[in-house]
Amino acid sequence: MDWKGLQRELAAHGYVAGDDLAMALHLTVALGKPLLLEGAAGVGKTQIAKTLAETFSTKLIRLQCYEGLDAAHAIYEWNYQRQLLAIRAQADHDSAIEDRIFSEKYLLERPLLQALRQAKPPVLLIDEVDRADEEFEAYLLEILSDYQITIPELGTIVATTKPHVILTANGTRDLSDALRRRCLYAFVEYPDRKTELAILHARQPDLPSRLAEQIVGVVQALRKEDLEKKPGVAETLDWAAAISGLSINDLADDPDAVQATLVCLLKTQADRAMVPIEVQQRLVGKAA
Amino acid sequence: MRAARFPERSTIAERLAGFLAHLRVNGFATGLGEYETAMRALGEIDPIRPSEMRSAFAAVLASGEDRYRRFGDLFDAYWLDHRRMRERQQAMPAPNQERRHTTLLEQSLAGNNGGGVVDAPDNAGDGEAKSSGEGRLAGVRTEQISKIDLRNLVSSRDLAEAQRIARDLAAAMRDRRSRRRKAARRGAMLDLRRMARRSIAHGGEPFELLRKRRPDRPVNIVAVLDVSGSMSVYAGVFLAFLRGLSAVHTRTETFLVHTRLVRVTEALRGDEGMAALGRMSLMANGFGGGTKLGSALCALAEQYGRNAVNGRTVLIVLSDGYDTDPPELVARALARLKKRGARIVWLNPLKGWAGYEPVARAMAAAMPHLDHFAAANTLDALAALEPHLSRF
């Protein structure tokens, strides 16, 4: 499959990817290198991984990163309770107990190890990698370049199949160069008007096209305002669902109801105060 | 090496190598690994079409938002003949942001070699710079210099002292909320992994209780130093202070403010930090004009702070609060940063003067948002910050 084909497949599964992004995804699959996606919150970075998994009809294994994430939660952990029991049960007549309790049977797989041991290459999503600390990045390096994990007691576990790895980052902190150099890269922007219309159409095909244009117009205009949290693509979709749920056919018809639905787009009080009903109507008027 | 002028029959490999050199000149870190990946990528696309090649190379070679955005132009400049000359002229003089910044800086210095050069030592007292173990401060002990207003103090020894205090302060500022745990003699949690192993010797009896605890984690420090005319007498020592902070504390971001916000984190760090310090002290004196503290803080809150300021950040503002922007701007910026969870410390050298009231309008506007407001006109005052900062 070339990159155009991948782009079409993704679109068929409801994700509209620009040329650059589709190419980056294609190379990730073709070259077997991880892909690092950066961009503001809400541009659909996580969704890419989900859609890619659907497209390949394979498993999505997700590791949500957070500050303080460590190997025990990300890679593997020994099952201590079982180990202790096993030692007690066999202490008297087995001297090779140490070999036994540090074996596969007592190993708990966490997402990263899981991803290396699938029969069919899964999509491994390492979400918000910049939230984890630098030490964790170092753990990742071995996995991302060689697709293997070293467990001191067991030895090195090599991937049975190479997973398609997607990392996302929001710019909480700068990622190390070592990590960057192991990854392909794409910066994901908010979609432009045309792309966002296509996304909305892919997700909610029933929406009248005039209404869809209004909705996208308002959201695009809102993103240019000085808001604390700019509405992302997910917000657009939520809002469209709310509007059609209320059977509103034209945003100009019922300003009060539309104002009430703005909770889908504006997620802080200050932002809501920035868009009173007059501003909302002006935006709608422009978008029409 | 400059952007290639293609010889008649150069191979694609040679051209690619030339392109990578072209990128390196423009501040990209493209090495052999990238070359190899790019060659492999060529096999996966239709290299006849420039747009495909551009997308593919962007994914392989441009990591980071800034580079990704600039990549299109750099690509066109090199590969597409008709635009090459024009783009080259634009692209060449500005290798990368840091370098461009230094050049600007040097230009601004060229006409201004006047007085006020801070006597910067070559090596910032590395020998004695080890912090005193428990993160306690020793600055108070050195009587002779500790009571003098920082204005009178620009000798190299004092700069070294200021750096040392900064280091101790940085060591004192620790964040105690961590989720990762480390083995420790005393701690709240049992370390099951080590216990299981040790218990083998006791026939499976968890005989020894081994523990782990949460280690302290460093806070992120964002320091903003006002280097306008009214502050320039203090700038040298404060820069030494910030240099000290950056040296021990890798999570320190440093900014200068005069009429705009300048990021100097990289310039302050590294081996040539003291030289950079001298340059920046010069620059601080060069900009004797008004301060635009309000808009600078807004820029910080909106651009840098949007991503990097979080609940673990301590924002240190070093300013006398004299501002030519409307005071609401300072209040708004601080309110925003505060909302992101940052703790805000304002160090005002004027506060140490007898009878000082925060009457400067920006200062008054900032007061409600501050977690700690302190004098910073003597080394004692800087040293006295420790209990406040370590409590955070």
Side-chain angles (χ1 to χ4, degrees):
Chain A
M1 185 160 55
D2 67 350
W3 69 278
K4 281 273 179 204
L6 182 64
Q7 195 176 28
R8 276 194 301 275
E9 280 288 313
L10 288 172
H13 286 85
Y15 194 94
V16 182
D19 288 355
D20 285 347
L21 180 57
M23 176 62 83
L25 283 167
H26 167 63
L27 289 178
T28 297
V29 175
L31 304 181
K33 294 201 90 172
L35 173 63
L36 172 63
L37 296 174
E38 283 190 308
V43 292
K45 299 187 294 290
T46 306
Q47 190 61 38
I48 292 173
K50 290 185 184 163
T51 314
L52 198 64
E54 279 172 33
T55 307
F56 294 153
S57 37
T58 182
K59 203 165 158 185
L60 174 74
I61 296 176
R62 175 174 176 165
L63 175 67
Q64 171 68 50
C65 295
Y66 53 84
E67 204 160 344
L69 177 68
D70 58 10
H73 289 103
I75 306 177
Y76 71 93
E77 178 77 300
W78 292 105
N79 190 340
Y80 303 117
Q81 288 78 5
R82 287 190 65 180
Q83 281 183 333
L84 284 174
L85 282 174
I87 298 168
R88 292 204 67 165
Q90 310 199 7
D92 300 333
H93 30 257
D94 195 347
S95 54
I97 185 70
E98 194 162 351
D99 289 341
R100 184 163 318 162
I101 60 165
F102 290 110
S103 65
E104 296 278 336
K105 204 172 144 194
Y106 297 89
L107 194 65
L108 298 173
E109 288 180 357
R110 304 287 193 220
L112 293 181
L113 184 57
Q114 248 176 42
L116 297 190
R117 309 178 101 190
Q118 301 291 321
K120 184 176 182 185
V123 173
L124 171 62
L125 170 63
I126 303 176
D127 217 358
E128 300 185 313
V129 66
D130 48 348
R131 279 179 194 264
D133 26 35
E134 288 91 347
E135 296 90 328
F136 183 71
E137 260 180 50
Y139 281 134
L140 277 182
L141 295 181
E142 184 188 11
I143 298 167
L144 295 185
S145 51
D146 303 332
Y147 295 100
Q148 62 179 35
I149 285 173
T150 305
I151 300 176
E153 294 89 346
L154 268 187
T156 302
I157 294 182
V158 183
T160 46
T161 56
K162 273 191 188 181
H164 310 297
V165 185
I166 294 190
L167 300 99
T168 74
N170 283 331
T172 306
R173 62 178 175 78
D174 280 345
L175 297 172
S176 71
D177 274 354
L179 183 66
R180 282 187 185 281
R181 299 191 73 164
R182 280 169 176 79
C183 300
L184 302 178
Y185 181 86
F187 187 83
V188 191
E189 309 259 13
Y190 286 112
D192 58 16
R193 197 186 180 88
K194 205 174 120 225
T195 314
E196 194 159 27
L197 265 176
I199 295 170
L200 192 54
H201 182 71
R203 291 308 189 81
Q204 295 183 24
D206 307 338
L207 214 62
S209 64
R210 201 184 118 68
L211 183 61
E213 270 175 39
Q214 277 184 325
I215 288 173
V216 171
V218 171
V219 174
Q220 295 267 337
L222 270 178
R223 285 198 193 117
K224 294 198 184 101
E225 299 287 324
D226 182 27
L227 297 175
E228 284 181 4
K229 290 207 172 24
K230 293 194 171 139
V233 179
E235 274 81 12
T236 312
L237 295 173
D238 284 352
W239 192 44
I243 299 270
S244 69
L246 291 171
S247 333
I248 298 172
N249 283 320
D250 190 321
L251 292 184
D253 285 351
D254 193 348
D256 290 324
V258 171
Q259 185 69 14
T261 57
L262 282 187
V263 287
C264 302
L265 294 179
L266 306 172
K267 302 284 178 75
T268 74
Q269 202 186 1
D271 285 353
R272 292 224 61 191
M274 288 276 292
V275 189
I277 199 157
E278 302 80 32
V279 176
Q280 178 244 116
Q281 278 304 294
R282 187 167 50 79
L283 291 177
V284 170
K286 266 196 215 158
Chain B
M1 236 197 276
R2 296 281 144 172
R5 178 170 296 155
F6 303 136
E8 272 306 302
R9 280 184 303 268
S10 59
T11 64
I12 184 77
E14 283 163 13
R15 291 195 190 186
L16 181 59
F19 181 51
L20 261 57
H22 170 63
L23 288 179
R24 271 197 297 279
V25 171
N26 284 281
F28 285 57
T30 46
L32 268 182
E34 281 75 12
Y35 173 80
E36 199 185 315
T37 315
M39 280 305 274
R40 283 174 62 204
L42 278 178
E44 304 293 337
I45 59 167
D46 182 358
I48 303 302
R49 309 173 68 169
S51 65
E52 282 198 22
M53 207 158 106
R54 188 189 297 122
S55 296
F57 281 177
V60 175
L61 301 172
S63 190
E65 178 180 354
D66 174 51
R67 288 175 191 164
Y68 198 72
R69 286 186 201 282
R70 279 162 53 213
F71 187 83
D73 287 344
L74 291 172
F75 181 91
D76 293 352
Y78 184 84
W79 294 96
L80 304 183
D81 240 0
H82 59 284
R83 290 178 64 191
R84 182 152 54 113
M85 292 316 289
R86 190 159 55 88
E87 293 288 343
R88 249 175 81 189
Q89 280 166 356
Q90 285 176 4
M92 282 307 158
N96 64 26
Q97 275 196 322
E98 281 90 339
R99 258 185 251 168
R100 196 182 313 155
H101 164 69
T102 333
T103 341
L104 261 182
L105 209 153
E106 279 157 6
Q107 280 166 7
S108 71
L109 290 179
N112 182 17
N113 281 332
V117 187
V118 170
D119 177 15
D122 292 323
N123 193 349
D126 275 346
E128 53 156 348
K130 298 230 163 58
S131 79
S132 48
E134 320 112 307
R136 289 270 137 201
L137 289 168
V140 275
R141 279 181 228 130
T142 41
E143 269 307 316
Q144 305 93 314
I145 55 167
S146 60
K147 293 284 186 208
I148 311 167
D149 196 312
L150 289 185
R151 273 186 300 178
N152 310 328
L153 158 182
V154 278
S155 79
S156 54
R157 199 166 69 97
D158 300 333
L159 284 174
E161 182 70 7
Q163 289 208 4
R164 201 181 53 73
I165 288 183
R167 283 167 204 227
D168 287 350
L169 272 184
M173 275 188 278
R174 292 268 146 184
D175 193 280
R176 294 188 173 78
R177 298 162 303 157
S178 168
R179 295 184 57 114
R180 186 194 294 274
R181 290 186 171 80
K182 267 169 72 174
R185 187 174 285 172
R186 259 172 255 171
M189 297 267 302
L190 291 177
D191 190 346
L192 281 170
R193 184 180 184 130
R194 288 195 302 150
M195 276 172 64
R197 195 174 261 289
R198 291 275 183 95
S199 73
I200 295 172
H202 308 291
E205 203 68 58
F207 199 64
E208 284 173 89
L209 296 184
L210 300 164
R211 294 173 181 278
K212 56 187 176 179
R213 63 178 178 83
R214 297 164 190 266
D216 290 349
R217 306 196 70 77
V219 292
N220 307 326
I221 298 175
V222 178
V224 179
L225 172 58
D226 179 350
V227 289
S228 59
S230 55
M231 286 285 290
S232 55
V233 283
Y234 299 102
V237 176
F238 281 162
L239 276 170
F241 177 68
L242 295 183
R243 155 89 172 141
L245 274 183
S246 317
V248 272
H249 201 81
T250 50
R251 294 163 179 246
T252 305
E253 288 280 352
T254 330
F255 297 87
L256 297 187
V257 180
H258 32 87
T259 48
R260 67 198 173 87
L261 189 73
V262 188
R263 181 165 179 268
V264 293
T265 309
E266 262 88 44
L268 266 186
R269 204 168 282 158
D271 296 335
E272 38 155 8
M274 286 313 287
L277 201 153
R279 279 207 305 273
M280 273 183 291
S281 302
L282 260 179
M283 184 179 77
N285 292 327
F287 289 85
T291 333
K292 296 210 166 196
L293 189 61
S295 26
L297 285 177
C298 280
L300 181 77
E302 267 145 45
Q303 290 157 23
Y304 176 76
R306 197 166 270 274
N307 292 323
V309 173
N310 57 28
R312 225 164 244 185
T313 304
V314 176
L315 173 69
I316 301 179
V317 184
L318 292 147
S319 168
D320 54 10
Y322 288 110
D323 187 11
T324 49
D325 276 332
E328 298 81 50
L329 281 183
V330 170
R332 202 174 79 196
L334 290 183
R336 260 200 182 182
L337 288 164
K338 183 108 203 190
K339 248 188 183 170
R340 298 189 168 272
R343 288 153 292 177
I344 303 174
V345 179
W346 192 303
L347 303 181
N348 187 334
L350 303 186
K351 198 190 173 212
W353 294 9
Y356 170 77
E357 292 286 330
V359 285
R361 291 191 308 154
M363 197 63 245
M367 288 304 286
H369 303 288
L370 303 185
D371 292 282
H372 188 62
F373 178 51
N377 62 331
T378 62
L379 288 177
D380 267 356
L382 284 176
L385 284 173
E386 193 230 339
H388 298 283
L389 297 186
S390 60
R391 208 180 46 209
F392 276 160

